[in-house]
Amino acid sequence: MLKLPRPLKLVKVFGADGRAGVDTLSRGIRWAAEQRVQVINLSFALEPGSAPSPLLNDAIADAVARGITVVAGAGNNGSADPAANALAATNPQVIRVASIDTESHRLDAGSNRGAWVDVAASAELSAHGSGTARVGNGGTSAA
């Protein structure tokens, strides 16, 4: 069993409709930073074509300045255009992650890509329970 050095802290910032404003996202990042977490995983993207958010970028910069590692999925638009994910593309202090196919070890067709992406990792998810196993691709959020 994996032993974590600190317990995980989950920060709920999205509403029941799966949406959140940049003010709420920023507050969630700042709250996590105040809790002295070691890693913040930003498994979401702004709407494709959205302008960078100074409020959100400032919260991320504050977390990084505190020594927190911040990771963001590159996005799942299959695009090399940084505008496809302004959150990841405009924050070079964040580790931006693309997803690769586990078998071919090639970039997933749906993964965003480009010089602004830092690393690619497998996004395969598996869950076991009730006597069944499910495997799927979790996109850049899981990578």
Side-chain angles (χ1 to χ4, degrees), residues 115-128:
W116 56 273
V117 174
D118 298 305
V119 66
S122 172
E124 185 174 291
L125 299 174
S126 62
H128 303 277

Side-chain angles (χ1 to χ4, degrees), residues 27-92:
R27 281 196 312 272
I29 292 167
R30 289 188 188 282
W31 182 87
E34 290 165 2
Q35 304 307 305
R36 299 186 204 157
V37 300
Q38 294 175 313
V39 177
I40 296 175
N41 178 29
L42 304 176
S43 290
F44 61 86
L46 302 177
E47 292 290 328
S50 296
S53 166
L55 186 64
L56 195 51
N57 290 356
D58 287 348
I60 292 168
D62 179 58
V64 171
R66 292 174 185 244
I68 298 169
T69 300
V70 181
V71 180
N76 302 310
N77 306 91
S79 177
D81 183 355
N85 187 344
L87 171 73
T90 62
N91 283 287

